[in-house]
Amino acid sequence: MMKLLTSLLVGLTLLSTSAYAQSGPLRLEIDEGIIEPMPFAVPNFVPDGPSAAQYAQDISRVVVSDLTGTGLFREISSDAFISRVSSFEAEVQFPDWKAINAQALVTGAVNVSGKRLTVRFRVWDVFSGQELGNGLQFAGTTDGWRRMAHKVADQVYTRITGEGAYFDSRVAFVSESGPKDQRRKRLAIMDYDGANVQYLTDSAAIVLAPRFSPTGDQLLYTSYETGQPRIYVLDVGRVKRQELKTQEGTMSFSPRFSPDGRSIVYSLTQGGNTDLWKMDLASGQSVRLTNTPAIETAPSYSPDGSRIVFESDRSGTPQLYIMPANGGEATRISFGQGRYGTPVWSPRGDLIAFTKQNKGRFHIGVMRTDGSEERLLTASFLDEGPTWSPNGRVIMFTRETQGASGRSTLYSVDISGRNLRPVRTPDGGSDPSWGPLQN
Amino acid sequence: METGTKISAIAHVSLISWALFGGTFRSEPLPMAVQDVSVISAEQFAAMTAQREAPELPTDPAELQPPAEPDEIDTPDPTPEELPEPEPVTQPEPEPEPEVEPETVEISPEPELIEQPPTLEEPEPEVAALPVPPGPEAEPNPADKIAPEQVAPPPPEAKPDDIETPAVSLDEGAETQQEQQDQTALEETAPEIVTEAEEVDNPAPRTSPRPRVRPNRPAPTPEPEITETTEPAPTEPAQNEQAINDALAEALGNGTEPSGPPLTSGEKDGLRVAVSQCWNVGSLSTDALKTVVVVAFSLTRDGKVVDGSLRMVNSSGGSDASAKQAYQTARRAILRCVRDGYDLPADKYAQWKDIEITFNPERMRIK
């Protein structure tokens, strides 16, 4: 008995001493952190002269607004700053920025000569005392100062998060004014943050669903000016439009460009039945993609152009389906409760955003392209019409409030479901289409 | 007949033996076994047997424990040997330290301004204390979700309320509704996982993550290990002296060279919690949130990061770009939370001089 116990003790001893004599570094695993906006500081960019002072301040503010608008960053007020940045070349006093817990610091300088505007900037990781990326300079005209600020913010955002940029982009939408029963709708275009709104059509006819071309220089939209829905293509730069002719006696709507911009896919109603068609823009020839007695609509290409996701009620209720880009057998991907509609393929290709109606409420949601991992991001009386930011991280959509006095507003939300916020527009807005990153 | 007699003989013998020993075995077998097992000197055995005469004292085993004290006396022998060794090492190192100090001295104002430092310090001593597990558990948890932003709690309050009422208020009013929604949006930024749609459905899940921390707490367990290592000392006089001595010599021989006693899991947890409270993955791209990085660094004796020692050892699950972002975030966590130095036992410096931390964001990921 004693022997057995002593041998056991010896075994234990050896075990513990082997751990005792561990070699190499102490190894730990951390799998739980925190999720909070990163505190950052943007001291006003340094103006090279008095004429640049206002631009320097305005650009700094837009950079801050872009970054805080993502919900991923929190600005540290300049009131808390310990050191002042009076020269772009001056050495950064990291301890001063550490002391106020600024984890990222953006310094910059603005130069104006005549109409020419130059912005230089650097991004610093304060706690490691290292620069993120290299200093960069943008040059342009003073009129385009907002775009240059967006470009600076894009760089900062990308360098810190690793996510693609999206601030220097535009959104087409339908501007809505007046009461619900007499609503005036105009096609409009704006910066992603609601600035620089331009109207592309008057309010004589109802317009719907603008859709950017892949390059951002053209818009597809649907207009009722003939009494029947018709598809038009509009040159954004020259504000000139052209009707896309479809068959006589039909209604065409819900158009969207293919990723290469050479063709469009749209819905066409003929004899009470709605199917999907594809039109080659060069030749004007259309080809039928679906042929069922059900209603097929809201088509959207995958980023590689090989597949199309669309909405169909062939199962009895509106659901989402995916089929090859040239037609063929469709696979249903939505199986949750409720009705699904307006699917839009993410520019990254990994997710599909959609509108869902369930139990009297509307949701904007995302799912994988096989229909798995469905997540609802919003919930309200009426949310619909999602569109993706160029980097596939943010979704903009329409939220309409209830009642006769209800109005439509554009909202954006991070695909994590965080940072739900309205996009400020002069009037109400609906049907947003987020364009590509500008050059 | 013979078989019958055999059977009856066996039956009788077993019956008699049961009558004789059955009762006695039941009454005292367990204490007997325990007493034999414990390693006790002859004097103690004598004391035990003497006390047996008084059957009323079942508390004898209690006296067995006192002899354990001599065991502890033996243990200090190895430790003092180890302690002096690391000390000479410290003397050369203090010289490079002054270089680090000027920076850290300037940084020192940080803790005052930052709200977090107090939360960091509290859990660590509590872990070491071991007796108070529930207290520390409750505190770090809120910190895990949203460290300083106690703003987050408001949204949970809204959830338990009827879901429909806030929704209606949002929808009905025209302009004012938008303002209300703005507020909810800002609150949502903190608790990442909960979307507007999810708020409606499940108000409860918030409590579920809490138990996660508990399994990490059982700090007490490692200490018994240390005592076990000391126990072998008493066994030496017992019997297999040679074999045991050889084993001990071999084991201790390895241990005494570079390292002191290992960190307890409580001490490791203290470091883990300290770094994780600064590991902010909120600004990471979705790709970087799929990337696991291993970051290595060295600490000075006062728990500060040695300049230039931070480096990415390894990464998996993402592109080079996302690994870079993930590393920057991990580096930021280590450098932010070091403050006046990580609180680690000085006598075990050899154990935590070099550290490798694996940052695995899987549980923080947006799916």
Side-chain angles (χ1 to χ4, degrees):
Chain A
M1 199 61 176
M2 287 290 282
K3 283 183 180 177
L4 201 153
L5 282 167
T6 45
S7 61
L8 212 157
L9 275 174
V10 169
L12 277 174
T13 307
L14 288 175
L15 259 179
S16 56
T17 47
S18 62
Y20 201 86
Q22 70 159 28
S23 59
L26 173 65
R27 290 187 172 84
L28 300 175
E29 174 160 343
I30 293 180
D31 61 359
E32 202 156 4
I34 56 173
I35 293 173
E36 63 181 13
M38 177 196 283
F40 74 102
V42 181
N44 270 346
F45 285 12
V46 181
D48 284 355
S51 60
Q54 190 60 45
Y55 288 112
Q57 186 175 344
D58 291 346
I59 288 173
S60 308
R61 288 296 90 199
V62 170
V63 170
V64 168
S65 170
D66 282 348
L67 293 175
T68 53
T70 64
L72 307 182
F73 300 92
R74 175 169 62 82
E75 183 200 10
I76 294 177
S77 165
S78 59
D79 297 339
F81 291 178
I82 296 172
S83 66
R84 303 285 162 184
V85 177
S86 54
S87 164
F88 180 62
E89 307 299 340
E91 194 173 338
V92 175
Q93 300 301 313
F94 291 110
D96 289 348
W97 301 104
K98 285 182 190 175
I100 60 173
N101 196 31
Q103 294 170 31
L105 173 70
V106 183
T107 58
V110 176
N111 176 271
V112 175
S113 58
K115 279 280 188 182
R116 183 180 169 80
L117 181 71
T118 311
V119 182
R120 291 172 291 161
F121 73 96
R122 291 184 190 277
V123 189
W124 305 93
D125 184 297
V126 172
F127 279 82
S128 67
Q130 296 183 14
E131 184 174 3
L132 297 177
N134 296 317
L136 199 61
Q137 172 173 314
F138 292 114
T141 63
T142 51
D143 293 340
W145 68 268
R146 279 191 76 90
R147 276 201 62 195
M148 296 173 69
H150 288 319
K151 287 221 172 278
V152 172
D154 270 333
Q155 283 291 325
V156 176
Y157 174 79
T158 299
R159 291 181 188 187
I160 294 177
T161 66
E163 207 79 81
Y166 73 91
F167 301 130
D168 184 26
S169 60
R170 294 192 292 180
V171 173
F173 66 104
V174 175
S175 174
E176 300 189 1
S177 55
K180 234 174 190 177
D181 52 352
Q182 284 185 326
R183 191 148 287 176
R184 296 190 302 278
K185 297 192 174 190
R186 289 182 290 175
L187 209 58
I189 192 170
M190 64 179 185
D191 293 353
Y192 96 99
D193 58 358
N196 290 333
V197 174
Q198 291 177 272
Y199 298 98
L200 303 175
T201 66
D202 58 26
S203 55
I206 292 178
V207 288
L208 287 177
R211 300 286 179 252
F212 263 114
S213 67
T215 55
D217 52 6
Q218 287 184 314
L219 275 179
L220 287 170
Y221 69 99
T222 306
S223 173
Y224 278 78
E225 66 184 60
T226 64
Q228 295 282 344
R230 296 281 179 191
I231 299 173
Y232 295 83
V233 59
L234 183 142
D235 186 304
V236 177
R238 295 181 298 162
V239 197
K240 294 194 72 172
R241 62 165 201 171
Q242 174 191 349
E243 182 183 348
L244 295 180
K245 296 285 186 187
T246 54
Q247 301 169 44
E248 288 296 324
T250 62
M251 294 189 295
S252 52
F253 53 96
S254 193
R256 205 181 281 271
F257 279 101
S258 64
D260 62 9
R262 292 180 188 165
S263 60
I264 65 166
V265 60
Y266 63 99
S267 291
L268 186 141
T269 302
Q270 194 172 22
N273 182 30
T274 303
D275 278 312
L276 296 182
W277 291 68
K278 175 181 175 181
M279 178 191 289
D280 183 88
L281 287 175
S283 65
Q285 294 296 313
S286 286
V287 182
R288 180 192 283 266
L289 298 179
T290 65
N291 191 0
T292 73
I295 296 174
E296 272 89 32
T297 185
S300 171
Y301 277 98
S302 62
D304 64 2
S306 66
R307 289 181 290 172
I308 293 173
V309 61
F310 62 98
E311 166 191 339
S312 171
D313 65 353
R314 61 182 69 177
S315 69
T317 59
Q319 299 290 340
L320 306 185
Y321 294 79
I322 288 178
M323 68 175 176
N326 291 318
E329 189 175 351
T331 307
R332 178 173 167 179
I333 61 167
S334 63
F335 292 95
Q337 289 186 332
R339 300 156 168 262
Y340 293 79
T342 67
V344 191
W345 216 301
S346 157
R348 289 182 191 172
D350 56 345
L351 295 174
I352 289 171
F354 55 85
T355 303
K356 180 174 182 174
Q357 184 186 5
N358 189 27
K359 296 177 182 173
R361 291 177 71 77
F362 280 78
H363 309 273
I364 300 297
V366 294
M367 61 171 65
R368 298 214 161 271
T369 56
D370 60 359
S372 64
E373 296 184 26
E374 175 182 324
R375 285 187 297 124
L376 300 181
L377 308 179
T378 73
S380 89
F381 166 69
L382 178 54
D383 286 350
E384 63 179 357
T387 181
W388 289 94
S389 64
N391 66 352
R393 173 79 196 219
V394 182
I395 292 172
M396 198 178 288
F397 61 96
T398 308
R399 172 164 289 185
E400 190 167 324
T401 50
Q402 203 170 2
S405 62
R407 59 178 267 163
S408 294
T409 310
L410 301 184
Y411 270 75
S412 67
V413 64
D414 191 275
I415 57 167
S416 64
R418 292 179 290 160
N419 202 34
L420 176 67
R421 50 175 26 224
V423 180
R424 303 292 178 192
T425 51
D427 298 311
S430 64
D431 270 346
S433 171
W434 208 320
L437 208 59
Q438 301 189 78
N439 293 322
Chain B
M1 287 296 284
E2 291 180 355
T3 54
T5 53
K6 283 180 181 177
I7 291 171
S8 67
I10 292 170
H12 276 86
V13 168
S14 59
L15 193 142
I16 292 166
S17 60
W18 176 80
L20 285 175
F21 304 106
T24 54
F25 270 122
R26 282 185 184 178
S27 62
E28 291 183 346
L30 290 176
M32 283 296 287
V34 171
Q35 290 169 351
D36 287 345
V37 168
S38 58
V39 182
I40 298 168
S41 64
E43 298 174 358
Q44 290 165 341
F45 264 108
M48 289 293 299
T49 51
Q51 288 178 352
R52 266 188 197 174
E53 296 173 357
E56 294 178 357
L57 296 176
T59 57
D60 293 347
E63 293 184 357
L64 294 177
Q65 295 175 352
E69 295 175 359
D71 298 350
E72 294 176 358
I73 297 170
D74 293 339
T75 60
D77 295 339
T79 50
E81 293 175 1
E82 296 170 359
L83 290 176
E85 290 181 359
E87 286 176 0
V89 182
T90 61
Q91 294 175 352
E93 289 187 358
E95 297 176 359
E97 285 178 4
E99 297 176 0
V100 182
E101 286 178 358
E103 293 182 358
T104 54
V105 171
E106 293 173 349
I107 303 169
S108 59
E110 294 171 12
E112 297 175 359
L113 296 176
I114 302 169
E115 298 174 356
Q116 295 176 349
T119 58
L120 288 177
E121 294 173 358
E122 288 177 1
E124 292 177 357
E126 287 172 358
V127 171
L130 302 178
V132 193
E137 290 173 359
E139 292 178 0
N141 279 326
D144 288 345
K145 286 191 171 183
I146 321 124
E149 296 182 2
Q150 297 299 337
V151 186
E157 290 177 3
K159 295 174 184 174
D161 293 344
D162 292 342
I163 305 150
E164 297 176 357
T165 53
V168 172
S169 65
L170 291 176
D171 295 337
E172 286 181 355
E175 296 177 353
T176 53
Q177 302 150 355
Q178 292 180 357
E179 294 175 0
Q180 290 176 348
Q181 287 176 347
D182 286 354
Q183 292 174 354
T184 56
L186 290 176
E187 291 165 355
E188 285 174 0
T189 61
E192 175 210 30
I193 305 166
V194 181
T195 69
E196 184 186 47
E198 289 170 341
E199 279 181 12
V200 176
D201 296 326
N202 44 356
R206 300 219 155 201
T207 54
S208 63
R210 293 189 176 175
R212 287 177 185 171
V213 181
R214 297 196 172 183
N216 294 336
R217 294 292 168 186
T221 51
E223 291 187 352
E225 290 180 2
I226 296 175
T227 57
E228 286 173 0
T229 61
T230 60
E231 286 179 5
T235 61
E236 292 177 5
Q239 292 184 353
N240 304 325
E241 290 186 6
Q242 282 189 347
I244 295 170
N245 284 338
D246 291 346
L248 282 176
E250 188 177 352
L252 290 176
N254 292 338
T256 50
E257 285 178 8
S259 59
L263 292 180
T264 66
S265 65
E267 290 161 346
K268 288 181 184 175
D269 274 351
L271 177 61
R272 198 192 340 256
V273 169
V275 176
S276 65
Q277 284 184 340
C278 281
W279 187 41
N280 179 13
V281 300
S283 57
L284 273 184
S285 72
T286 46
D287 282 342
L289 277 174
K290 298 173 184 168
T291 308
V292 178
V293 291
V294 181
V295 179
F297 58 100
S298 301
L299 292 177
T300 62
R301 271 188 184 279
D302 51 359
K304 292 175 180 170
V305 179
V306 175
D307 277 353
S309 67
L310 268 165
R311 64 191 186 280
M312 180 163 68
V313 176
N314 194 2
S315 74
S316 60
S319 64
D320 289 347
S322 59
K324 189 178 163 190
Q325 307 300 334
Y327 166 64
Q328 286 173 359
T329 301
R331 181 179 64 185
R332 208 172 288 130
I334 294 165
L335 291 175
R336 271 178 64 211
C337 272
V338 69
R339 307 185 197 287
D340 292 332
Y342 286 108
D343 185 15
L344 290 161
D347 57 339
K348 300 176 182 175
Y349 176 60
Q351 293 286 345
W352 49 263
K353 181 171 179 289
D354 297 308
I355 299 178
E356 267 187 27
I357 300 183
T358 302
F359 290 87
N360 185 351
E362 184 176 356
R363 288 164 66 179
M364 313 293 292
R365 189 182 306 164
I366 306 167
K367 289 182 179 176

